[in-house]
Amino acid sequence: MKYLEIRNCKKAFEELSVLNDISLSVEEGEVVAIIGPSGSGKSTLLRCATLLETMDSGELVYMGENAVTTENGQAVYAEGATLKKIKNYFGLVFQNFNLFPHYSVLKNVCDAPISVQKRNKEEVKQEAIKLLAKMGLSGKENAYPCQLSGGQQQRVAIARALAMKPSILFFDEPTSALDPELTGEILKVIRQLAEEKMTMVIVTHEMSFARDVADRVIFMDGGYIVEEGDPREVIEHPKEERTKQFLARFSQE
């Protein structure tokens, strides 16, 4: 089943065209890595997919339900109740964690399932404790974000996203704010989720990770999808000249 479909997505900021007719789909259990230079439109695409940014035109479909359609060349968003439902289908992990500094770790993870999804408080708390244990954070439930390392904060952010029980999880450069040692911690967690068949879309600069963990790699440049396919093929034997140039500096890995 297609969990996500984006068709002919266009987005411009004033005169600057950032996304040019982007189409992609993500199947159940698939891990898709999006790579490309800074400014290629990767993060904007993720923000459009997660309804943080509005598309100018195109279609956005989750689990067969339309979030965005296009009429007369303009994007038309579904009504509030439908969008609210669709927002429960996905989770998003940001590059700079975005935790609430004045909430404990446990409250950061529990807050949205209780206040947004109106789920049972005690049940959510028990699930959150299990998720934090899975992230290697047992004993940190009452700590505050400022008391944690960057890697620990990012693992809390992943637990928080998973607590919403999303069908698909988006990562926007989840390791770019971390030093190499902490990067390894986060990639290990994402690798574990991939093994559990979590459906994921990951914008990343970690080429060897994309090659080893993703089912499919998409290379973007200048707001276009330049090349996509099997990760080993795209990363080790790129066909397009622009992909070759971008990947040349990673070939030493």
Side-chain angles (χ1 to χ4, degrees):
M1 178 188 179
K2 284 188 169 58
Y3 271 23
L4 168 68
E5 291 174 87
I6 297 173
R7 300 188 200 108
N8 311 111
C9 172
K10 292 183 181 176
K11 175 69 182 174
F13 294 107
E14 293 176 353
E15 297 304 304
L16 181 66
S17 186
V18 182
L19 297 174
N20 300 290
D21 213 22
I22 298 278
S23 295
L24 65 95
S25 63
V26 182
E27 302 279 342
E28 178 180 0
E30 190 178 24
V31 178
V32 176
I34 302 176
I35 62 172
S38 296
S40 58
K42 307 182 302 291
S43 290
T44 303
L45 177 60
L46 228 59
R47 290 179 67 81
C48 285
T50 54
L51 304 169
L52 291 172
E53 200 72 70
T54 53
M55 293 159 53
D56 295 336
S57 64
E59 292 175 41
L60 178 62
V61 184
Y62 277 98
M63 320 292 281
E65 293 188 50
N66 289 326
V68 184
T69 52
T70 291
E71 289 173 24
N72 303 322
Q74 295 290 315
V76 178
Y77 279 72
E79 58 188 41
T82 304
L83 287 182
K84 193 175 175 184
K85 182 184 174 189
I86 286 171
K87 281 177 182 175
N88 282 316
Y89 291 147
F90 61 80
L92 175 59
V93 178
F94 299 89
Q95 53 183 297
N96 52 355
F97 328 133
N98 282 25
L99 298 174
F100 293 112
H102 55 295
Y103 283 3
S104 69
V105 164
L106 191 62
K107 189 165 166 57
N108 261 291
V109 177
C110 292
D111 187 56
I114 292 167
S115 61
V116 178
Q117 294 180 330
K118 309 289 185 234
R119 278 159 49 201
N120 178 280
K121 230 176 218 179
E122 196 49 44
E123 193 181 296
V124 169
K125 187 180 169 185
Q126 291 310 316
E127 282 178 14
I129 289 168
K130 280 184 195 159
L131 275 172
L132 288 168
K134 182 178 173 178
M135 296 293 143
L137 294 167
S138 289
K140 298 287 185 188
E141 293 84 359
N142 297 317
Y144 284 83
C146 65
Q147 298 170 305
L148 304 178
S149 71
Q152 288 172 327
Q153 289 186 57
Q154 191 60 296
R155 281 182 279 151
V156 173
I158 295 170
R160 178 180 62 179
L162 289 169
M164 299 289 280
K165 298 184 185 295
S167 299
I168 182 169
L169 200 49
F170 292 92
F171 291 87
D172 187 6
E173 296 188 14
T175 59
S176 67
L178 303 174
D179 65 38
E181 198 175 326
L182 299 177
T183 291
E185 289 179 18
I186 301 308
L187 298 182
K188 189 176 163 191
V189 168
I190 299 173
R191 195 181 291 260
Q192 186 186 347
L193 292 172
E195 284 166 8
E196 293 167 8
K197 294 294 174 205
M198 179 82 205
T199 309
M200 294 185 281
V201 177
I202 307 164
V203 168
T204 184
H205 284 301
E206 302 289 334
M207 294 305 132
S208 51
F209 174 76
R211 181 190 61 209
D212 297 342
V213 176
D215 298 300
R216 186 156 46 98
V217 162
I218 292 172
F219 172 68
M220 285 182 69
D221 188 39
Y224 291 93
I225 291 177
V226 177
E227 191 166 344
E228 71 174 296
D230 173 85
R232 268 187 194 283
E233 281 301 307
V234 173
I235 290 171
E236 294 178 1
H237 310 288
K239 293 183 177 66
E240 300 295 327
E241 192 52 44
R242 184 63 191 96
T243 321
K244 288 175 186 172
Q245 289 169 4
F246 174 73
L247 289 168
R249 61 197 170 102
F250 295 104
S251 60
Q252 290 80 22
E253 284 192 18

